[in-house]
Every structure is written in C-alpha cells, then in structure tokens.
Amino acid sequence: MAAISCKLFFHCCLFLKFIYEANAQSAECDDSIGNYTANSTYNTNLNTLLTTLSSHTEINYGFYNFSYGQNTDKVNAIGLCRGDVEPDECRSCLNDARGNLTQRCPNQKKAIIYYDNCMLRYSNTTIFGVMETSPALFLGNTVNATDVEQFNQVLQTLMSNLTDRAASGDSRRKYATDDTTAASFQRIYGLVQCTPDLSGLDCSSCLVGAIENIQDCCSGKRGGRVIRPSCNVRFELGPFYGQTTT
C-alpha cells in the first residue's frame, strides 16, 4: 500500500508541475535596442499607450494594435487574447499584463509578456505585420503519451489542419481549435493562433516553425505549448479551451 501511495503521489506531483508551468507568466525584457529613463518622453508615451490600449471597448475580437508618439519616442504595442476569451476577460488580462510587464521591465524599450489568456508586447521599432519568432516560450508535460509513434502522426495531422484554418483568417482573428482521436482512444485537443496583422503566408510559416519546435520540447508528451511573439500552438489530452467567441 505504501508503494502504491508513493506512486500516486509522484504522478500527482508531475501533474501539478505541468499545471503550474502551463499557467506561468513569462516576461522578456529586451536591452538590445536601448533603454529609456524615468520621466522621459518615451516613458510617458509608453504609459499612455498601455493604459489606453484596452479602453477601446469597440474591439470585441481580442486583438489590439496601436501606436503613440512621434519619431524616436514612438511606441508600438500589440495585445492579443485567445480566441475563446470574452471581451471583458480579455481586457482584464491585458490590464494585468500591462502592470506586470512594466514592473518586470522598468526601462527597456522593447518587452513582451505571455499569459494563458493573453499576450502583450511593445517596442520602439515596427512590429505590425512583422513575423517574429523570438523570444519563444516552451512548456511540456512531463508524462509520456502511449503509442508515441502513432500519437505524433495524429498530432502532426491535427496541427497541420489547424494551421491552414488559422492562416486563412481575417485581420481580426487568425485562430483555430479542434480535437481528434489517437491511439488507445486518446483524444488530442489542439489550438493554434497568430496575431491577425500577419499575412496568411507569414502566419502559416510561423505556425509551421512552432509545430516543428514541438518535436524538440514535447515530442511524445501528453501536452505541450510553444509560444512566439507572432503565433502560438498548444495540445493536450483534455479540453483546455472554450467555444470561440463571435
């Protein structure tokens, strides 16, 4: 009995570890393009832009892309919510991300933060319509799937189909979800998403690269995520997304 209890405890710990990782917030501060000083024009423009970003209540499809300022003090920002997140919840997530990001990256001119339900990034360089693949975040389940070879084949087909659907989306949403059955009646749920400012070709290219990264971080695992500034992919053996908002 003691051996069984230890085994159950071990697997519970693995499961909880994955849940913690999957819900982790990750911020990346980029020093490569310079910093700003407190009370500078860039600082003022950044605060103004991020504070008002989610105030555009007419946007109900989860994608915000705005600029503020002029010349070298101009700030560009993108906020993106997952396609099943309701508008109020989306704006709340972006507001939390704003406070967290500026706290973690207090003087960088370029930064990004990833949440489960949203992503927020800003830069003093052009980011609209530009595919960016780094910095990337990799999260993988610690438990292996059964019949790995067939599992990977079914997963690849699912994610490829989702890529085609997402890339064909419009300038408001490039997002797709679906599920399918793999070996041993394992049901795989998949999600892919691009920032809608990307062209269909760039969206497809970004997602294909992210799906290839699955082989590096999460091959044969029961779940995994690859998150890039311009796109993200995720798969699990249980439902993790809701109905797409309209």
Side-chain angles (χ1 to χ4, degrees):
M1 178 64 71
I4 294 176
S5 298
C6 289
K7 186 176 181 181
L8 288 174
F9 178 77
F10 175 72
H11 285 294
C12 285
C13 287
L14 290 180
F15 177 74
L16 291 173
K17 180 176 186 292
F18 175 69
I19 292 298
Y20 170 77
E21 288 177 345
N23 288 280
Q25 303 161 7
S26 177
E28 293 288 340
C29 314
D30 191 338
D31 293 307
S32 65
I33 58 175
N35 298 330
Y36 63 86
T37 58
N39 301 319
S40 65
T41 302
Y42 188 89
N43 188 16
T44 300
N45 292 344
L46 175 63
N47 289 334
T48 300
L49 177 60
L50 295 185
T51 301
T52 60
L53 187 72
S54 60
S55 66
H56 298 270
T57 55
E58 74 281 3
I59 295 177
N60 59 4
Y61 43 87
F63 177 54
Y64 300 80
N65 58 326
F66 292 98
S67 299
Y68 192 85
Q70 300 292 328
N71 304 319
T72 58
D73 292 315
K74 183 178 181 179
V75 188
N76 306 297
I78 286 179
L80 178 69
C81 291
R82 210 168 70 181
D84 61 338
V85 177
E86 294 294 336
D88 288 345
E89 186 181 1
C90 174
R91 287 188 281 269
S92 176
C93 184
L94 291 175
N95 283 332
D96 287 343
R98 176 197 72 208
N100 205 343
L101 184 57
T102 52
Q103 186 176 43
R104 294 192 186 189
C105 305
N107 62 352
Q108 285 80 11
K109 289 189 175 182
K110 183 177 183 179
I112 186 170
I113 190 167
Y114 300 118
Y115 277 65
D116 265 2
N117 290 339
C118 69
M119 176 275 295
L120 178 65
R121 56 188 293 224
Y122 64 81
S123 176
N124 66 333
T125 61
T126 300
I127 57 176
F128 305 140
V130 179
M131 183 184 69
E132 293 194 37
T133 59
S134 63
L137 178 65
F138 305 89
L139 298 169
N141 199 315
T142 55
V143 182
N144 291 328
T146 58
D147 198 343
V148 172
E149 184 175 353
Q150 186 188 10
F151 182 91
N152 285 341
Q153 290 176 352
V154 173
L155 174 62
Q156 182 65 36
T157 300
L158 171 63
M159 302 307 275
S160 178
N161 291 337
L162 291 178
T163 293
D164 292 340
R165 286 170 47 190
S168 65
D170 60 20
S171 59
R172 293 173 298 174
R173 180 173 291 162
K174 285 181 167 64
Y175 172 84
T177 59
D178 206 351
D179 60 270
T180 188
T181 302
S184 304
F185 303 102
Q186 298 174 103
R187 195 135 197 99
I188 309 176
Y189 294 80
L191 176 154
V192 304
Q193 184 175 25
C194 295
T195 56
D197 56 315
L198 292 185
S199 67
L201 184 62
D202 281 346
C203 175
S204 179
S205 177
C206 187
L207 290 173
V208 167
I211 293 169
E212 289 176 352
N213 288 149
I214 288 177
Q215 300 303 315
D216 300 325
C217 77
C218 323
S219 179
K221 301 300 182 181
R222 294 170 61 92
R225 302 174 67 179
V226 177
I227 309 174
R228 295 172 156 190
S230 293
C231 68
N232 67 88
V233 301
R234 182 178 180 181
F235 70 95
E236 306 286 353
L237 285 189
F240 60 91
Y241 52 79
Q243 184 176 357
T244 303
T245 60
T246 57

